[in-house]
Each structure stands twice: as C-alpha cells, then as structure tokens.
Amino acid sequence: MTLHPTKFKRLLIVSYRLPFAIMRTEEGLSIRQNSGGLVSAVLSMAERMGNSENLPFEKIHWIGHSDADFQDVPPALLENDNFVVHPVYLDPELNRGFYEGFCNDCIWPLFHYFTSYASFADTYYQDYEQANARFLEKVAALVEPGDLVWIHDYQLMLLPGLLRASVPHATIGYFFHIPFPNYDIFKLIPRAWRQALLEGILGADVVGFHTTDYVQHFQQSVSDVLSLPIINQRVVLPDRSVLVQDFPISVDFNKFSLAGQTAPVSELRKTYKRLLRRNRIIFSVDRLDYTKGIRERLLGYERFLIQHPEWHNRVTFVMTVVPSRDKITHYQELKREIEEAVGRINGLFGTIGWRPVVYSYLSLSFEELVALYTGCDVALITPIRDGMNLVAKEFVASRNDGKGVLILSEMAGAARELTEALIINPTDTQEVASAIQQALEMPAREQRERLEKMRTHLAVYDVFRWTYRFLSTLQDVAISEPALQTNLPVAEFVTACQNARNRLLLLDYDGTLTPLVDDPEEALLSEPMRELLVRLSDGNDLVVVSGRSRAYLDRTFGTIPVYLVAEDGAFVKRPGLDGSGLDWEPLSLPQEDWITPIRVALNSYVKEIKGSFLEEKETAITWHYRTARGQEADLRALELATQLSHLTVDIPLSVVLGNKVVEVKPAQHSKGAVARSFFEAKPYDFLVSIGDDTTDEDMFKQLPNWAYTIKIGAGISFARYRLARQQDVEQLLQLLV
Ligand code: GDG
C-alpha cells in the first residue's frame, strides 16, 4: 500500500480541535499540544513522517477551532516541525450553540444511544450550520489542486458537502469517530436536519467508520432518507459515487510497547506500587462521560467486593477520570454521582490502611498513563457505547511483559478486534464482578496467551496502517471512479452473451430506457438509445416490456424491430420482417365494468393532491403524483393502495404501488406472466431483464435463477444484480453489441 507522491501535494486535516491549544500566560501567548484520540493518531503519523519514504507530504496543514480571543496570535507560533495550524476563530456565543449545543448536547448523546439526553433546539442547529460554513471559508481559501482534504468527526458533518459545492473537484475524505447509530435512532433527528447531515457527509469521496456495524447503519440511513442506491460499498449519486467503508482506528503500537521500559516510567511504576502497598491494581482512565460506563464500573467493582471478602485489602481500583465538558449539566450530575459512589464504596469497605478506590479527577502525563498501563493487573474498560476506545488498545500495546488482563465492554468498537479480552456487558454488574474475579485469578500463562494474540493483531493493525489505508483509499478513489456503477460481474456477463445461441432481453421502458420525468409525455427515447436498440435487435430477441399504451409504444418504437408489450402484458406485438411490426395481440380480458368505482376513488385523490392526475389506458387506470412534492403524497399513495384493494369488484384486480404511481389493472396480466411466456417459447441460454419499478419485480420473480435480473436504483428487489442509475443502462447494453 503506497501513496502516490506525484499525485498529491499536501494533506489538509480539518477537525474541531487543533493539535495545539493556544494559551495566554503571563509570559505571553504559547501553544500546548492536545491529547485525544485523533491528535494522538495523526501525531504518531507525523512523527514518523521524517523518516518515511512513503509519505509524500511536507508539513500537515491542520484547520481547527480557536477562541476569537486569540486572533492576534503571530503566524510563527502557528507552525512547528509537524504542523501548520489554521485556526477558525469562532466567537464564544456561536461556539456554545455549535459545540456545546448541537454537537455535545444533541449528536453526542443521540449517537451513543442516550436518546433522552438529546436536545433538539433549532438555534443549536442554526449555529452548527453557521460554524460549518465558517470552517468552509477557511478550507476553501486554503485548498489547492492536488491537496487531500481529510475532515474529521461529528462536529463537521455538513462541511464535506459545503466544500464539494464550492470546490467541486476537491479530493475529500471524511472520518466519523463516534458510533453511527441505527436508523431508528437516527430518524429521531428532525427530517430537514437529518437529510442535510447525510447530504453533507456524502460530499466526501470516501467516508470512513470504525466498524462494519456503523457502515451498515449509515448505509441504511442513506437509503431510507435519501433513497440512493448503494453498490459495492458505494453510495451512488447522479454525478459521482462515495465509498463508505470501515477503517478501524488504532494506536502507535511500537511507541506504547517500548514506553514501559523508559527510566521515568519505571520509576513512576515503582512508586505507584509502593504507594498502593503492592496490592493488585485494577486501572481505568477515561474522559468524564456518561457513555464510558463509569457508574456501572463502580457498581460492578462494589458487587465484586461484596462477593469476595477474600480480596479486601489485597486489591485497589485506580480510577482516573479526565475532566471534560463539565459545563454541561449531565456531566456535572455524572461527576457528582461518580464521587458519591466512590465515597460509598470506600466508606463501606475501606480501612485505615486500605482505600478500595483511588479516584482522581485530573489528566495524566504520558509517563503516568503508561506507568499505570504497565503497572496494573487488570484494565477495566466498560463503556456503554464507544466508537472505538483507544485506551483498550493502548493498554494491550503497552504490555510487552505479557502480563495483565483486559476486561472490555462489548459496546466498544474495539471489542470487534480485541476478542481475547474478557468481554462483558457493562450494565450486567454480576458479569463485571465475575470478570474482575476471573482476571485477578487468571493463570500467568493464559494472560500471556490472550495478550499475545491481541498484540499480534495490533502490531499489524496499528495507527499507521489506519492512516495509510484511509489516505491511500482516498487517493485511489479520487484517481479511478468506476464508469459503470453495478455489482454485475461485467466480464462474465459479456462472455455469457457472446457464447450464447439464443438471447432474450426483456427491458422496461420508463426509468430504464428513458429517464423518469415529471410529465410521462416528455419521456422520449434518446437518439443514441434508439440506435443502440436497433443494433441490439440484430441477433437478439429484444422485448420492451412497458406499462404504456400500445398507441404510445407504436409512436415511440415504430420502426425498431423489437417485440412490444403494452399495459404491463395486456397486449403484445411482434416485429415484422420489414421492421414495421405485426398487429397487436390482446390478452383475453374481462368485459365487465370494473373501472368505474376505481375511477371514483382515484379522482378524490386527484382533487386532493395538487399536481397529480389520472391516466386511463385500455386495460388499466393509473394515478400519477410525481410532481407532488414531499413525503405526504407517498403516505397518501399507500393509503390509497390499501383502500383500493378493499373496493369490491367481481374480478380480481391488482393494485400496484410503483414509482410515484398507483396503478390498478386486472390481476391476470402482469409483466411476470409475459416474461414467462417469452422465455418458455424458445430454448434461451442468455436471459437479461432490466427494470426499475415494482411492476418489473414480477419479471424478476418469474425468470429462472440463472437469468441476469437487474434492478435499477435503490430499494429492495428480487433481482440478482443492480445498476445504480438509469444512465448506466446505455453503457451496459453497449457492451452487448
Ligand atoms: C473518540 C471516540 C474513539 C485519555 N486520558 C488521558 C490520555 N488519554 C488519551 C488516551 C487515548 C485518548 O486520550 C482517548 O481515546 P478514546 O478512544 O478512549 O476516547 P475519546 O476521547 O472519547 O475519543 C472514541 C476515538 O475518538 C478515536 O477515534 O476511539 O470512541 O469517542 O489515546 O490515551 N492521555 C494522557 N493523559 C490522560 O489522562 N496523556
């Protein structure tokens, strides 16, 4: 895996946080490096850049937020060996609504499944839009052809879309660091916002998540909210496609693996062990957050102490909570609850010489952190929901002594990879208590074996692999967008066609041979498509299977030697030798008047839904509502379809809910029946059926399972394959002539 140095010039990272905090001290302005998942990951990559030949970039440009107070920072201070930082100055009021409000009081709780904590204030969202627009100003002014732009996390979901609109040819990657929730949770977001958020993310060329679950959740939301087709991990838009894939973030394995042996860390480790009276140590560290399961962890530990008096005085739980977001009420409450629980446990079990929980609310230095990773016996990591959780990976990477046990929540993304951990559900306090006992009593050999497997994994899947995989995928995608968006095995398809003796092609008309348009009269066959059909009809049995009237099909296909099927199978016309076409053959249809009561019901909807109209064919009646905007009309269509199926007439009718149409016709004719009659007529050995609508599903269902049944666009289908867009049909058929 390599990056192409000639192809890309600079890397621009955009995230809410800058890798450095700007501070005003008595000596003047200064910068201090931030900790945190992303900064650690990118910093590790940047540190290696000095001696890596694979990375073509010079310094990394980093765009992130800064307080408006620091606008006077001299440019020289905004640059170091690794980074050039470009602050986006947001005034405190805007930042409050954007970051504390929409990001951390709406999206964060919602996406971690704490739905009742989420606040949906309009002003929050307006600030979010405005802040994303401010980031855009900065990025758009900076980006040059040849740059890779890598946007991070839930604070900037709108930015990829804004940047795409302003710099259409930019190469944009987007990575989402927190869980992407399932659709039932996502749809709690007001309709207009959720649509804008998804469209924003889809401005990128590559969208990355930590796990395949989050990828699937995102895809389902895209498909439900935006009705876009997803083919081969790509969301297909009219003019381009977006690759959506899992890229699990990781840690700098070697750095952590070696860090435990440095002199300062060894010293600290010794000190801690001495201070804790050589007790066995359970350790945890996380930002103050209700998602991290800190309360649940304490309850599990308390239960363990109740059940195992033999461990009293012999074990200490060192629990570090790093200050975070403590201006938000939920975080203040959480802190109080944690401190109460710690007090209770220490009060219940502690003695003059033993504190069961050593709790601190502070940030550790890197050395202190590693001394605790390498000095503890058990790492107890119990998030209720966590995108990945780097602490778990750092602990494993640190333990090159082969000692220590990881207890890890199944709700952390990391549990997908660190399967040799003792995996627990944090809400099950008994399971946590039992895991603590199992960990403390685990034989040394089992500890080594479990760690060994996880370390082997992390040694390969480290943070460099994460950045390389993401950036090289971004480059490749930017360089080569597939021309044809399909999951069809194209080479096999073409060979099968060439080798066949009898070929049958069943093609739908609207939405397949022509694009869907508001007025059905304007759906005209393009000249290239007409020529293509003429060429295809030579040597193949070509059938246009349409819901249109015979008069319309006669007008459109007059001189093309194809079979025509009108009104979904009510009439068939064979091509004449001279290309003029033989007479239409009707199916025998019921004579009675079934249409009058249906017309009455449909007309009441025509009156109600503006822009909708009726089309009466010889054997069917159709309500069109393509120009009626919004989902209201879809809901009414569903209601209408249900109502129609309850109308009593004496013959069986079929009610078809199609693409912005509701059609009623006698049940005995269908595209399925017609498709079957065609392929049974001859020993065909190559069979293709392409369509986009509900009526085409009848064809897909009736054809044998070796047929190439191809659905166009999004939605559930019986077809074996999919083509993303109507314009892909022409390209595909071109391959067959
Ligand atoms: C988000 C997602 C996802 C923590 N305390 C100290 C300290 N840290 C460092 C750790 C680790 C990082 O911060 C924490 O990373 P996590 O992944 O555990 O959690 P979040 O901050 O919530 O991060 C998360 C992550 O993004 C990456 O995509 O995994 O799911 O929520 O590197 O070492 N470092 C030092 N002192 C501390 O006290 N030095």
Side-chain angles (χ1 to χ4, degrees):
M1 205 181 317
T2 51
L3 297 169
H4 312 291
T6 48
K7 197 77 197 170
F8 288 95
K9 227 170 56 184
R10 298 184 309 174
L11 175 60
L12 273 52
I13 291 188
V14 195
S15 70
Y16 176 72
R17 267 172 193 279
L18 283 171
F20 296 95
I22 307 170
M23 292 179 310
R24 209 182 288 279
T25 59
E26 280 177 7
E27 290 89 59
L29 287 165
S30 69
I31 54 173
R32 183 173 55 93
Q33 200 171 292
N34 281 328
S35 64
L38 172 66
V39 176
S40 314
V42 175
L43 200 70
S44 297
M45 179 183 80
E47 277 170 12
R48 276 220 186 158
M49 279 166 56
N51 52 25
S52 166
E53 285 171 12
N54 277 337
L55 262 175
F57 310 112
E58 294 165 4
K59 288 185 186 179
I60 294 174
H61 291 260
W62 199 312
I63 297 102
H65 148 267
S66 176
D67 281 347
D69 284 5
F70 296 115
Q71 292 196 45
D72 54 339
V73 176
L77 207 63
L78 297 176
E79 190 164 343
N80 72 359
D81 292 347
N82 299 316
F83 301 112
V84 185
V85 299
H86 305 267
V88 177
Y89 297 109
L90 299 179
D91 53 72
E93 199 50 41
L94 174 61
N95 190 49
R96 203 167 304 125
F98 156 57
Y99 183 66
E100 287 168 32
F102 194 70
C103 294
N104 290 342
D105 216 13
C106 175
I107 296 298
W108 177 272
L110 193 65
F111 281 34
H112 286 87
Y113 295 71
F114 283 76
T115 51
S116 61
Y117 284 20
S119 156
F120 298 95
D122 286 347
T123 51
Y124 283 177
Y125 185 69
Q126 285 152 11
D127 287 343
Y128 186 80
E129 286 181 305
Q130 209 184 324
N132 272 254
R134 296 289 302 281
F135 271 81
L136 171 70
E137 285 166 20
K138 194 57 102 179
V139 183
L142 199 66
V143 70
E144 292 169 8
D147 289 344
L148 286 183
V149 183
W150 191 5
I151 300 169
H152 289 267
D153 226 358
Y154 65 104
Q155 298 89 353
L156 299 171
M157 285 186 265
L158 298 175
L159 183 59
L162 293 172
L163 185 58
R164 176 69 56 207
S166 132
V167 188
H169 296 293
T171 301
I172 309 169
Y174 177 78
F175 191 84
F176 205 75
H177 286 263
I178 65 171
F180 198 92
N182 67 36
Y183 182 56
D184 280 341
I185 300 281
F186 186 71
K187 75 179 178 202
L188 292 174
I189 303 177
R191 212 182 295 281
W193 304 1
R194 69 183 181 226
Q195 185 167 336
L197 295 175
L198 292 176
E199 285 170 350
I201 293 174
L202 292 176
D205 296 290
V206 175
V207 176
F209 296 93
H210 287 311
T211 70
T212 50
D213 290 1
Y214 309 153
V215 169
Q216 281 165 11
H217 294 164
F218 177 73
Q219 289 180 342
Q220 202 204 332
S221 289
V222 165
S223 139
D224 286 356
V225 176
L226 304 177
S227 300
L228 290 170
I230 298 162
I231 289 179
N232 298 338
Q233 293 191 291
R234 283 168 186 270
V235 177
V236 184
L237 298 156
D239 53 343
R240 57 190 193 88
S241 68
V242 183
L243 184 71
V244 183
Q245 209 176 293
D246 60 309
F247 298 89
I249 198 171
S250 195
V251 298
D252 184 343
F253 179 83
N254 288 330
K255 176 173 157 190
F256 279 95
S257 189
L258 297 173
Q261 283 128 320
T262 62
V265 172
S266 304
E267 268 317 302
L268 275 171
R269 193 168 43 232
K270 275 188 216 141
T271 311
Y272 292 155
K273 291 202 175 199
R274 198 182 60 242
L275 287 170
L276 298 173
R277 306 184 323 163
R278 316 231 156 264
N279 270 1
R280 303 289 286 281
I281 301 170
I282 301 172
F283 173 56
S284 78
V285 58
D286 9 44
R287 279 186 309 97
L288 175 69
D289 205 296
Y290 46 81
T291 64
K292 299 287 182 184
I294 305 174
R295 282 174 290 205
E296 289 72 9
R297 185 180 312 167
L298 286 167
L299 291 179
Y301 181 60
E302 185 175 17
R303 194 156 183 173
F304 163 78
L305 291 178
I306 293 169
Q307 293 172 352
H308 296 279
E310 73 279 13
W311 277 102
H312 291 193
N313 281 303
R314 293 166 56 210
V315 64
T316 304
F317 179 14
V318 177
M319 191 177 88
T320 303
V321 175
V322 182
S324 175
R325 303 182 194 172
D326 43 18
K327 282 182 222 136
I328 298 179
T329 321
H330 290 305
Y331 288 76
Q332 291 162 354
E333 276 168 17
L334 172 69
K335 181 164 179 277
R336 191 175 38 77
E337 281 176 35
I338 291 171
E339 289 170 0
E340 274 171 17
V342 170
R344 186 183 64 240
I345 296 171
N346 282 341
L348 265 176
F349 303 98
T351 58
I352 292 192
W354 176 55
R355 246 192 314 160
V357 186
V358 173
Y359 158 75
S360 35
Y361 185 65
L362 47 74
S363 189
L364 302 167
S365 70
F366 178 73
E367 285 73 23
E368 289 166 336
L369 181 71
V370 177
L372 284 162
Y373 280 154
T374 52
C376 72
D377 298 277
V378 180
L380 184 55
I381 301 172
T382 59
I384 303 291
R385 196 67 65 167
D386 210 337
M388 173 55 77
N389 194 299
L390 292 177
V391 170
K393 290 189 170 181
E394 289 169 0
F395 165 72
V396 171
S398 304
R399 296 315 293 252
N400 74 358
D401 58 350
K403 291 188 189 137
V405 181
L406 172 64
I407 300 177
L408 179 59
S409 161
E410 62 185 344
M411 299 334 170
R416 307 268 150 187
E417 294 169 82
L418 303 178
T419 49
E420 301 301 318
L422 299 183
I423 303 288
I424 51 96
N425 177 339
T427 61
D428 184 345
T429 46
Q430 181 56 58
E431 201 176 23
V432 177
S434 305
I436 293 175
Q437 185 210 3
Q438 190 189 347
L440 289 172
E441 290 170 7
M442 188 180 284
R445 187 166 150 198
E446 185 180 343
Q447 293 184 27
R448 195 175 332 107
E449 283 170 0
R450 284 176 183 264
L451 273 172
E452 200 55 49
K453 287 195 182 131
M454 295 190 282
R455 289 174 56 78
T456 308
H457 172 81
L458 290 184
V460 178
Y461 293 92
D462 67 358
V463 70
F464 306 107
R465 198 172 167 105
W466 176 69
T467 30
Y468 276 123
R469 254 193 81 216
F470 189 91
L471 293 176
S472 56
T473 304
L474 180 57
Q475 284 195 339
D476 291 347
V477 164
I479 292 166
S480 58
E481 159 114 358
L484 191 61
Q485 300 285 2
T486 181
N487 59 355
L488 192 74
V490 174
E492 175 204 297
F493 175 72
V494 174
T495 313
C497 178
Q498 284 164 351
N499 294 341
R501 268 185 284 170
N502 294 305
R503 293 175 285 262
L504 173 65
L505 281 73
L506 299 155
L507 308 174
D508 165 52
Y509 179 70
D510 291 282
T512 301
L513 297 180
T514 60
L516 291 174
V517 288
D518 286 347
D519 179 358
E521 285 307 312
E522 283 172 13
L524 302 176
L525 198 63
S526 71
E527 211 32 60
M529 187 58 101
R530 176 182 297 277
E531 282 165 23
L532 181 60
L533 293 179
V534 171
R535 289 173 66 199
L536 264 181
S537 64
D538 184 14
N540 302 304
D541 289 343
L542 192 59
V543 190
V544 175
V545 190
S546 173
R548 294 276 186 159
S549 67
R550 25 186 189 168
Y552 181 90
L553 294 180
D554 271 337
R555 279 203 305 279
T556 307
F557 292 91
T559 55
I560 310 177
V562 291
Y563 289 84
L564 297 175
V565 173
E567 302 203 9
D568 289 340
F571 304 97
V572 177
K573 186 180 195 180
R574 287 162 210 288
L577 286 177
D578 58 355
S580 59
L582 304 174
D583 287 339
W584 285 98
E585 300 159 25
L587 262 183
S588 61
L589 287 169
Q591 295 304 307
E592 73 182 89
D593 176 25
W594 56 269
I595 218 161
T596 305
I598 303 288
R599 189 188 298 117
V600 172
L602 292 178
N603 261 325
S604 68
Y605 280 76
V606 172
K607 284 199 198 100
E608 204 183 315
I609 305 287
K610 214 167 149 255
S612 74
F613 60 92
L614 283 192
E615 181 192 5
E616 278 204 37
K617 302 174 192 172
E618 292 170 83
T619 64
I621 179 162
T622 311
W623 178 56
H624 292 262
Y625 64 95
R626 181 159 300 281
T627 50
R629 300 287 168 217
Q631 283 194 333
E632 172 64 14
D634 287 325
L635 294 174
R636 304 289 284 150
L638 193 63
E639 178 190 290
L640 171 61
T642 320
Q643 188 189 328
L644 289 172
S645 54
H646 291 112
L647 268 188
T648 40
V649 279
D650 288 335
I651 58 157
L653 294 178
S654 79
V655 179
V656 182
L657 194 59
N659 195 333
K660 307 285 180 193
V661 292
V662 176
E663 182 160 271
V664 188
K665 61 189 179 186
Q668 80 201 76
H669 65 86
S670 75
K671 287 190 179 184
V674 92
R676 179 174 275 277
S677 76
F678 267 97
F679 91 80
E680 282 174 350
K682 243 193 205 182
Y684 289 108
D685 50 359
F686 181 73
L687 206 51
V688 182
S689 157
I690 312 180
D692 70 310
D693 204 354
T694 325
T695 51
D696 304 312
E697 294 297 316
D698 281 345
M699 284 201 285
F700 303 148
K701 270 190 278 187
Q702 291 297 326
L703 293 175
N705 61 8
W706 53 266
Y708 290 97
T709 47
I710 306 170
K711 155 90 177 168
I712 300 168
I716 297 169
S717 174
F718 286 97
R720 284 168 73 203
Y721 301 107
R722 205 174 283 265
L723 265 187
R725 304 159 299 195
Q726 187 275 328
Q727 64 260 41
D728 292 316
V729 176
E730 192 178 324
Q731 272 194 58
L732 184 74
L733 293 180
Q734 204 79 48
L735 299 173
L736 300 185
V737 291

